[in-house]
Amino acid sequence: MKLSLRFVLPLILVLAGIAYAVAPLVDQFTLRWFVKDLDMRSTLIVNTIQEPLQELLQAGKKTRVVEYFNRITQDERFYGVGYCATPSGTVLASRSLPKQLHCRDLESWSGPGEHLLQTEKGPLHVTVRPQESEAAPAGRLVLVHDMSFITRRSEETKRYLFYFFMGLAAVVSLITVVIAQLSWRGWMSGMRALLRGEGLLRQPGADAQPKQSEFKPIARDLQRLINELESDVRARDENQVTWSPESLRAILHAELRGEDVIVVSNREPYIHQRRGDRIEVQQPASGLVTALEPIMRACSGTWIAHGSGTADREAVDANDHVAVPPDHPAYQIRRVWLTPEEEAGYYYGFSNEGMWPLCHIAHVRPTFRSSDWAQYVAVNRKFAEAVVSESKTKNPIVLVQDYHFALLPKMIREKLPDATIITFWHIPWPNPESFAICPWRDEVLAGMLGSSILGFHTQFHCNNFVDTVDRFIEARVDRESFTVSFGGKLTAVRRYPISIEWPPAPEMVSKPIADCRNDIRQLNELPPEHKLGVGIDRLDYTKGIMERFRAIERLLELHPEWVGSFTFVQVAAPTRTGIGEYQHHEAQVRELAARINERFERRGPPPIVLKVEHHEPREVYEYFRAADLCFVSSLHDGMNLVAKEFVAARDDDRGVLILSQFTGAARELPEALIVNPYDADQCAAALHVALTMPAEEQRDRMRLMRGLVAEFNVFRWAGRMLLHAASMRRRSKLGERNGREER
Ligand code: GDG
């Protein structure tokens, strides 16, 4: 369009210029043309009136001559007529003959060509013709024609000429625009076809196919080049950003212009609990909450979650909203209420007795009950309705969190087809054989494929998911772009390793390391220089707490010098206590800790201090800062944020991280001591290495790990997903536009 305007405007200007230049010529032409016409007309009149005039003159009837003249000058253009018998005589004239015409002057009006007389009434054309006759005296006839019509005609001609040029300009412009649009579309669809790998030379006949395939490599190369450039730009952009709440907010503004962002998770970031006559606000122990809380602070959206606190209903407004964080409200929680049956079936049942063990290879059998499944479906639908009611636009960005909501993406997509749905699966995805255990595997996969983007922590989990889809449902899997096309909708499967807030909140690291060391040792009745190891987990069987304790026992067996001089404090936040398997696990953990302590306690402080209770985040950080080592021994873990938090807490560059090879974090933190938690001897050796590691080595390892966590923090995790969503939205808008143009 712009191109067309760039051509059309000058064209109109040029044509207007031509019209302006031609106008005086038009005047001259029309004048000459009409004067010639008047001359001829005068000759005709002279010839016509000659005979009757001669007769009247011969009869001496001057009055009749005047009457005759008056009669013949009734034509509107024939202005006047007169006759002079002699140059000195008076003129016999019609009424209208201009008074300035005298017989004596007629000599000068004689001769060929036009004679113009300017009067008040306008220009007049004067013709003087001699009257030769044998019977009558010679005289001169004077004929006067009105010329004002010539000016009128000339103006009209100019006007028509102007209209003509304007019409011409319009026609030429129209033709130009049409031709330009047609050739642009042709070129564009040619390019699109080329990029799709279709032939440039689409010729009818037998040789069309070979020529088409000749161009395919070029098209593929071109497509690859574009993809590389795109991902390069993305990577460069991502690398150039120093990821912080501010930069995330700025990116959200620039890329998504403050669009409607909704988070859905089971667990709420703040829980209101009743303690006697006062209400306490708690932050739950969850990696997911730890990761998303700073993002919601940055983009002020709505977080939809199950209202599970004893005072949650008291804290909300009429729309079930509560503004959080309580001290500096930055976003709102929309609480969804579940009945005890719903909670039992959806949360404890299908999610945590079915999906959780299914996805973690931790040797706990999944339990699937159809009654749980029914509640899971119903609760997912309840949350889908909440998303629809909370969305301010028809195309919000919805961040669906975790395995509690496998069906939600499809349900949202049915109600809000234009929504950008990013589903993040915080736990591992197993291999297809393991996943096939699930009786509703097809429904779960179809539900998840309602997402625009599906994120996992590691490429390994992405591969497992794509393999599972490929194996069990009718979908088209593209392993080059890592997308799944299902039911006419495309889902991009991507790796987004989650992380933590960096730099950590000042209040987390404000207490000096020395004070943390002293206070924690005092609190646990340990001597000041006592070696301290920590483990901070939800009391979950996937975290490998039993294996951890066995490794400690083995250390004390292999290196008895640590008995009485090393203690491991295990902070174990109670979790899913309604599930039998968790109760059983807690009992086992308590029993094992007691047995080990009993075995070694005679020689000083106990080897294991087990604290099965919730701790505030600041207390958790105090433990991290007080410790000589942190032991993460998960049997299977999506990422494991505890590992990254320990690194973030150690601004003194000291402390050793022992990390299970079965965590996502192990792929990002190779400077940790990486262990197989099932191998007690190896873990015991790692514990010994950690306890004896020189300060310089601790510093070198810690600095590298801190560098990585600083660079790949949680804002980058969210930013990458949201940037991806933004470019997806841009591409789909472009697609819609092209679609419209093509139609
Ligand atoms: C899932 C995936 C993935 C622990 N005890 C207390 C407490 N915590 C905090 C830790 C940490 C969080 O809970 C645990 O996060 P993890 O990542 O280690 O594990 P999950 O809860 O299983 O999280 C996991 C994560 O989602 C994120 O995607 O990494 O793989 O399983 O922040 O510090 N916090 C408080 N008191 C405690 O007693 N306040």
Side-chain angles (χ1 to χ4, degrees), residues 283-288 290-291 356 360 402 424 426-427 457 498 536-538 543 571-573 613-617 620 624 637-642 645:
Q283 271 194 279
S286 144
L288 185 154
T290 314
W356 178 268
H360 288 90
D402 234 350
F424 193 80
H426 289 260
I427 63 175
H457 292 299
I498 206 168
I536 313 273
D537 305 83
R538 289 183 302 102
K543 300 297 177 185
V571 169
E613 60 201 62
H614 179 84
H615 286 68
E616 283 309 304
V620 168
F624 285 142
D637 218 330
M639 174 54 70
N640 192 285
L641 294 179
V642 171
E645 286 166 354

Side-chain angles (χ1 to χ4, degrees), residues 628-742:
D628 296 292
L629 65 90
C630 173
F631 193 0
V632 173
S633 55
S634 311
L635 305 181
H636 204 183
D637 218 330
M639 174 54 70
N640 192 285
L641 294 179
V642 171
K644 293 187 175 181
E645 286 166 354
F646 175 64
V647 168
R650 298 316 295 256
D651 49 11
D652 61 339
D653 293 340
R654 294 290 294 272
V656 182
L657 175 64
I658 303 173
L659 182 58
S660 159
Q661 67 187 77
F662 304 118
T663 60
R667 290 161 204 248
E668 291 185 84
L669 302 172
E671 296 79 19
L673 299 179
I674 305 293
V675 295
N676 172 359
Y678 294 97
D679 185 341
D681 283 23
Q682 188 198 50
C683 291
L687 281 165
H688 182 70
V689 168
L691 289 168
T692 54
M693 189 180 282
E696 305 78 63
E697 189 179 343
Q698 290 185 31
R699 186 199 58 214
D700 292 348
R701 286 174 182 266
M702 190 53 85
R703 279 192 183 165
L704 284 166
M705 293 192 286
R706 284 174 66 79
L708 182 122
V709 179
E711 202 180 331
F712 293 88
N713 61 20
V714 71
F715 307 110
R716 188 168 183 165
W717 171 73
R720 283 185 63 222
M721 280 192 287
L722 293 168
L723 276 179
H724 189 178
S727 74
M728 216 174 220
R729 283 159 88 91
R730 267 201 305 275
R731 226 173 276 153
S732 92
K733 272 185 199 152
L734 204 69
E736 274 168 27
R737 217 168 53 213
N738 284 344
R740 271 202 306 276
E741 277 170 13
E742 268 162 19

